[in-house]
Amino acid sequence: MNDSPLALLGGEPAVAVPGRHFAWPPITDADRQAVARQMETAVSIPDRSGVIADLEDALASCLGVRHVVTTCTGTAALHSMYAAAGIGPGDEVIVPALTFHATATPLFHLGAHPVLADVDDRGQLDLDDAARRVTARTKAVVAVHLWGLPEDMDALTSFADEHELMLLEDGSHAHGATWNGQRTGTFGTASAFSLNGPKPLSAGEGGFVATDDTELYYRVLLHGQYNKRCRREIPVTHPLARFAVTGMGLKLRIHPLAAALARAQLTRLEEHLTGRQVVAARMCAALEGMPGIRLPALPVAARPSWYALPLRYEPAELGGLPIERFLDALHAEGATEADQPGSTCPLHTHPLFQTPGTLLPGYADGQGLPAGGFPAADYVHAMTLKLPVWHHENDVRLADAYATAIAKVATHAKDLL
Ligand SMILES: *Cc1c(COP(=O)(O)O)cnc(C)c1O
């Protein structure tokens, strides 16, 4: 296989099938029927009934939590979670410097400050750096299970306890992942998940908040689910019940057709996760020990959701070949779905985090970002090669072909120098 010259230099490509090679979510007849049925049943649901109740009950039972509230997006779920957790003006929340921006941006709309902490060599929250950023105003720390690889939740739980911080989770990459057998999204006071198109569980567009805390649940309802839902669920004797009609003034409900899709997808989540697990293990086995490529460290406690397979590129082992050139060669081999992470990147590179005051009144530009920057977040981001993880047995050959393509480029790297 590796005898052919690189496709970039005129050889035969390693991946013979033309792309696209990966599409998500996989849509079946069951999904089509569920959405079509929903269209005949209700296309607007103002309370916790019908498909909304079905989906929330199923998610709550899947996670083993008391309450789930669906939302129109993951961004909205994070916003509702922070608001309901009582995060307000001047509060600081520690967020990993390497994540999708929406982990942190809703905090700006609560008058709070996202405090970025660097990541470690694996791209997970660096708890020593996080500890240095704790102040008297720090309220919470957020766990993000990047690419579906669970954070070390023993370490994060101890960290939160030690500093008396609320532990919150952004589970948007990690539906169904577990740490020591416990689902991600159930370790903290509350968690928020995206149900956006490519996420392991997809509604197309959607999200949800999960919590065991009934008071927090009522506040999630008041934040983004005003009127009927609040009136029906918040006990009339509750001190906040009189706000039910307006809530906090935002309307962040999920669309029933999206809920129907997510409900149908959820019945196949375990199947998808198991399939991804098999394919990821196979790709890792094929790439083990490959020069220039490091596999993600996988503690025995971790069962990932394999939202992606993040590989670490090590240019020093390939004569200093730049990652861009490696990727060009990989694409020429037909491995067109391999890429570098785009918008999941170091947050301090976004203008909104550098000069929030330009768009958001009340924020002073140039505050909050430390002079030393976030070197590990920058490095991990710059050296990550991301592969899709297929779930279906029909795609195993494709996964093998991708591994072959990577091996081919790695072993022929000197031809590119
Ligand atoms: C996708 C995502 C979000 C935002 O979710 P949307 O549904 O796109 O609003 C937040 N955090 C992380 C880590 C994500 O991947």
Side-chain angles (χ1 to χ4, degrees):
M1 71 179 179
N2 291 342
D3 299 341
S4 153
L6 290 174
L8 193 63
L9 304 176
E12 287 296 312
V15 184
V17 202
R20 251 187 108 175
H21 296 138
F22 186 83
W24 196 262
I27 301 292
T28 66
D29 281 340
D31 299 323
R32 289 184 196 97
Q33 282 159 19
V35 174
R37 255 197 326 273
Q38 189 57 43
M39 214 136 37
E40 304 305 322
T41 316
V43 290
S44 173
I45 301 180
D47 59 6
R48 192 178 184 282
S49 65
V51 71
I52 304 300
D54 287 350
L55 176 59
E56 291 182 359
D57 288 346
L59 287 167
S61 121
C62 169
L63 289 172
V65 296
R66 204 166 295 155
H67 306 289
V68 165
V69 182
T70 47
T71 56
C72 54
T73 61
T75 307
L78 284 150
H79 193 183
S80 288
M81 173 181 77
Y82 291 134
I87 307 291
D91 290 340
E92 296 175 359
V93 176
I94 295 177
V95 175
L98 182 62
T99 177
F100 183 67
H101 55 76
T103 303
T105 48
L107 293 164
F108 286 125
H109 297 273
L110 295 165
H113 296 277
V115 173
L116 308 186
D118 210 352
V119 295
D120 62 18
D121 186 52
R122 301 162 307 159
Q124 306 210 323
L125 193 64
D126 177 342
L127 294 180
D128 294 329
D129 194 58
R132 286 192 284 276
R133 303 191 193 277
V134 173
T135 73
R137 286 184 306 229
T138 313
K139 273 267 185 80
V141 58
V142 186
V144 181
H145 312 282
L146 210 62
W147 310 122
L149 305 175
E151 287 271 345
D152 180 337
M153 294 314 288
D154 299 324
L156 258 159
T157 306
S158 307
F159 174 84
D161 289 348
E162 184 189 331
H163 296 277
E164 297 181 17
L165 305 177
M166 200 184 306
L167 176 59
L168 299 170
E169 291 176 77
D170 179 349
S172 298
H173 291 186
H175 315 68
T178 59
W179 177 262
N180 273 328
Q182 185 180 339
R183 299 269 185 187
T184 53
T186 66
F187 287 86
T189 305
S191 59
F193 287 77
S194 169
L195 296 173
N196 185 236
K199 304 298 161 75
L201 178 64
S202 180
E205 293 288 355
F208 64 93
V209 179
T211 185
D212 279 330
D213 182 328
T214 303
E215 283 301 312
L216 194 146
Y217 171 67
Y218 294 151
R219 285 174 182 270
V220 169
L221 296 182
L222 286 163
H223 185 254
Q225 319 272 325
Y226 59 54
N227 204 11
K228 288 207 175 82
R229 185 151 182 188
C230 286
R231 284 197 277 141
R232 287 177 187 162
E233 289 184 70
I234 302 173
V236 287
T237 52
H238 192 280
L240 298 179
R242 65 198 180 91
F243 292 97
V245 173
T246 60
M248 298 184 212
L250 297 178
K251 188 174 186 228
L252 306 174
R253 285 179 349 214
I254 194 171
H255 196 293
L257 299 185
L261 176 58
R263 180 66 193 87
Q265 291 278 324
L266 182 56
T267 59
R268 304 199 305 279
L269 176 63
E270 272 308 314
E271 184 188 315
H272 293 161
L273 292 174
T274 309
R276 283 183 175 196
Q277 174 64 45
V278 170
V279 173
R282 197 177 163 100
M283 293 174 88
C284 287
L287 294 171
E288 176 90 60
M290 191 68 57
I293 300 293
R294 286 278 181 294
L295 300 171
L298 271 190
V300 283
R303 181 184 92 147
S305 65
W306 294 114
Y307 178 44
L309 172 56
L311 301 172
R312 175 69 54 80
Y313 184 65
E314 299 281 355
E317 296 177 6
L318 299 177
L321 184 72
I323 189 169
E324 293 80 10
R325 186 90 170 128
F326 188 95
L327 203 54
D328 283 347
L330 206 48
H331 289 162
E333 293 300 333
T336 45
E337 305 286 344
D339 65 4
Q340 289 192 269
S343 53
T344 297
C345 68
L347 299 188
H348 64 102
T349 61
H350 294 298
L352 184 65
F353 288 82
Q354 294 165 353
T355 59
T358 309
L359 291 180
L360 301 168
Y363 284 88
D365 290 350
Q367 280 188 349
L369 293 182
F374 302 93
D378 290 337
Y379 183 77
V380 170
H381 176 66
M383 292 299 144
T384 298
L385 272 179
K386 193 163 70 67
L387 297 180
V389 181
W390 292 270
H391 74 285
H392 200 274
E393 59 190 16
N394 292 348
D395 290 324
V396 164
R397 294 231 310 267
L398 200 49
D400 288 350
Y402 268 63
T404 302
I406 291 170
K408 184 177 167 190
V409 177
T411 52
H412 287 71
K414 60 179 182 315
D415 301 347
L416 296 168
L417 289 167

